[in-house]
Every structure is written in structure tokens, then in C-alpha cells.
Amino acid sequence: MQSFKRHRRLRQNSAIRRMVRENHVSPADFIYPIFAVEGSGIKEEVPSMPGVFHYSLDRLHEEVDQVAELGIGSIILFGVPEEKDACGSSAYAEDGIVQQAIRQVKERHPDLYVMADTCLCQFTDHGHCGVVENGEIVNDESLRILAQTAVSQAKAGADMIAPSNMMDGFVTAFRQALDEAGFVHVPILSYAIKYASAFYGPFRDAAHSSPQFGDRRTYQMDPANAREALREASSDVDEGADMLMVKPGLAYMDIIRQVRDRFDLPVAAYNVSGEYAMVKAAAERGWIDERGVVLEMLTGMKRAGADLILTYHAKDAARWLAEDV
């Protein structure tokens, strides 16, 4: 009789499958995005992102309390100001929406790990991630304002700065500014690899940050490129990044794996708004099993090499994982 391998022996029941499972997803792996807005009494659902809301500061605790109770490891704060200008001055204001949100969260939940997204697109009237001169997004002047923003976020109490602007040299600029301001202990999660992706549409709805002219392809990466991703990550490692982000996650798992294999820093994947919205839309129509698809997707990102996952699914996933314990 011809001999063959019986791989199914290790799949016979749930107990043995759990015993030999190679990759695990935990609420402690999640970074949950929260959108803070100016005003009062506001809890408004983002139309393109069911289950994701804008919260005014007086209602922000409703969301943050849930996150803490579910054991989610950390949050990242995005701010949507009422007024914008050409240089995004409210991004670095002491009383800016992000700075106020950071202070409020840390006062209520001092042990919750709070990250601050550091970009200008939500704060500029043109919707780009840097300063515009003669129709061009200029690099070095943008770095000055972005670094000032990072310091203001650290002063407000952010545990980690997460720059997503994709300006050349931003890690160097941020590290120098933070160190000079006395924040040598504040780490930088670099959005080292951020593609000019079609998956960002719902986020721009949530953050009111669509570009008012052109697009972001002069500073975000071409989705066709992989070697360029490693060059970007290598630069950020050399400049002092503490962690590396790949964004988006689902369509770029090959990039997550290459970054994981090449560098020894922790790697995060951003399970972005378009990925979230697709799942939600299909689930609402009964076309997919939302729980199964989400947990499979998040497990895939872990298998690809992500240590952390920034995801809008975090609260639902944490509840589902608790049911499996």
C-alpha cells in the first residue's frame, strides 16, 4: 500500500486545532482609531463606515471606556477641527482638538496607551499632508510644522507619536524636535510605508481630509512598488524610528512579510477604512459572515508578520475573541 501523510490528524477537533495554531490574535494587538471633533453633544456615525463615529470631547469617554473594558491595547487619536488654514496651524495648537482629546483620555484612563496621528491633512484647507507653495507640496517647510505638531502632542501626554505624512526625513525631524523638547522617552511609530491607495476613501469622509486639488501621489507610494517600500523603511530605521507601519494592510501582506523579514523593529499593519467598509457593506447584505471574515483577515495580517494591527474592527473583534475563550 502506498504511504501518504495524514495531516488531518491535527485537525480532528477544536482542542487539537487550538493546540497547534501557529498565529494568534489578541485584543492587546489592536490599535483602535478614534475621531474627536469640536462642538458638544456629538456622536455622529460616519456614513461610509458603519459603527465608526465622530465624538465631541464631552462624549469621548463613551468610546474610550468601551475600549478600556474590552482590553484593547491602545488607541490612536485623529482630530477634526472646525476651522482650517493653509498651514494647518490648529494641528500644533495647545488647545487643538487632538491635544485636548489626549489630555482628557489620559486623565480618565492613565494606563491606556494613547498614540497621536501626526499629519496635517485634517487641518489644512487644501487637504494635503504638508505645506503648499505654488501648487507643490514642499517637503522641508512641512517638516518644521509637523515636528512642532509632534512636540505639542507629546506635551499633551501622548505616549507615542505616529507620523503619517510621508515627507522625506520626517523621522529625523521628529526625533530631533522631541529630544530637544525633553521627550526622549516618547517613541515614534513611523508610517514608513504608506501607499497612494484607493482604500482610503472612507477615512477621508471621516477626517474631512480629501485633497482640494490633485492627489497625494507625489509623496505617498506607488502601489506597484515593493523594493521602494524597503528603501523607505530602511531610511526610517536609520533615522531612529521605534516601530514601522505598513498601510494599507490587506492588499499589501507581501510588504508586511518583507518588512518583517528585513528589519527587527516591531511592525504594525493598518487595516484601513476601505477594507473595513467593504466588509461592513457585504455583511449588511448577508453576503459574508462578518465575524469569520474579520478574524480571518486579522489573523492573515498577523501571519504575514504584523505585531500590531490598527483596525476599526477592534471592538467587535475583541468581543468575538472573548467569546472563544
Side-chain angles (χ1 to χ4, degrees):
M1 179 178 176
Q2 185 177 2
S3 176
F4 57 88
K5 301 291 185 181
R6 294 193 178 273
H7 300 287
R8 293 177 58 190
R9 289 174 182 152
L10 300 183
R11 304 174 193 155
Q12 293 181 70
N13 54 55
S14 59
I16 188 64
R17 289 194 295 272
R18 282 195 299 270
M19 289 170 62
V20 300
R21 188 162 292 149
E22 298 173 22
N23 295 280
H24 300 268
V25 177
S26 162
D29 301 328
F30 300 149
I31 305 167
Y32 183 61
I34 297 178
F35 295 93
V37 299
E38 295 181 352
S40 62
I42 298 172
K43 179 185 177 182
E44 295 178 349
E45 190 170 42
V46 178
S48 56
M49 300 178 70
V52 174
F53 295 85
H54 289 135
Y55 287 93
S56 55
L57 293 176
D58 59 325
R59 299 193 64 176
L60 189 63
H61 67 276
E62 298 174 25
E63 183 80 313
V64 178
D65 289 353
Q66 285 188 46
V67 170
E69 290 168 6
L70 289 167
I72 292 170
S74 64
I75 65 170
I76 184 166
L77 288 168
F78 297 92
V80 184
E82 286 184 344
E83 297 187 5
K84 307 184 180 191
D85 59 29
C87 65
S89 60
S90 63
Y92 55 81
E94 184 177 346
D95 61 349
I97 184 63
V98 171
Q99 288 78 1
Q100 291 186 68
I102 292 168
R103 287 193 290 268
Q104 182 171 309
V105 172
K106 293 304 291 185
E107 181 176 352
R108 188 175 180 92
H109 293 282
D111 294 330
L112 183 64
Y113 201 84
V114 176
M115 302 182 184
D117 175 78
T118 312
C119 195
L120 298 181
C121 58
Q122 301 104 289
F123 303 94
T124 55
D125 54 15
H126 47 72
H128 278 287
C129 302
V131 177
V132 176
E133 294 181 3
N134 300 318
E136 177 187 354
I137 295 85
V138 294
N139 196 89
D140 295 4
E141 175 61 16
S142 298
L143 290 181
R144 184 187 66 79
I145 296 175
L146 285 160
Q148 188 175 353
T149 300
V151 171
S152 74
Q153 292 168 339
K155 286 181 178 178
D159 296 298
M160 179 178 283
I161 301 302
S164 60
N165 53 87
M166 287 298 284
M167 297 295 114
D168 290 340
F170 68 85
V171 175
T172 291
F174 282 34
R175 188 70 274 158
Q176 181 177 345
L178 288 167
D179 290 356
E180 289 177 353
F183 296 105
V184 295
H185 61 285
V186 174
I188 296 173
L189 166 55
S190 167
Y191 285 63
I193 300 162
K194 183 177 179 180
Y195 286 92
S197 172
F199 284 99
Y200 300 153
F203 175 88
R204 292 171 184 171
D205 186 16
H208 301 170
S209 62
S210 295
Q212 299 303 299
F213 69 90
D215 55 38
R216 295 174 178 159
R217 293 181 183 274
T218 64
Y219 48 101
Q220 295 178 1
M221 285 179 50
D222 185 337
N225 292 356
R227 294 191 301 273
E228 182 183 6
L230 297 180
R231 295 198 298 272
E232 285 278 2
S234 180
S235 293
D236 288 1
V237 171
D238 291 344
E239 291 176 21
D242 299 283
M243 301 173 64
L244 303 172
M245 178 92 83
V246 177
K247 179 183 181 182
L250 189 60
Y252 298 89
M253 290 200 193
D254 60 318
I255 304 301
I256 297 171
R257 171 45 56 189
Q258 290 182 59
V259 172
R260 169 74 290 143
D261 289 345
R262 177 76 172 269
F263 305 101
D264 61 2
L265 294 181
V267 176
Y270 197 145
N271 177 207
V272 299
S273 60
E275 298 164 0
Y276 174 87
M278 289 191 306
V279 171
K280 284 292 186 181
E284 285 180 355
R285 288 161 175 76
W287 295 343
I288 61 171
D289 169 14
E290 181 178 359
R291 170 180 169 151
V293 166
V294 169
L295 294 180
E296 183 176 341
M297 182 168 58
L298 298 177
T299 301
M301 293 179 190
K302 288 282 287 187
R303 188 184 64 248
D307 300 291
L308 299 169
I309 304 172
L310 200 163
T311 178
Y312 303 93
H313 293 292
K315 292 196 301 180
D316 286 336
R319 294 186 186 102
W320 294 328
L321 292 167
E323 292 171 3
D324 291 339
V325 173

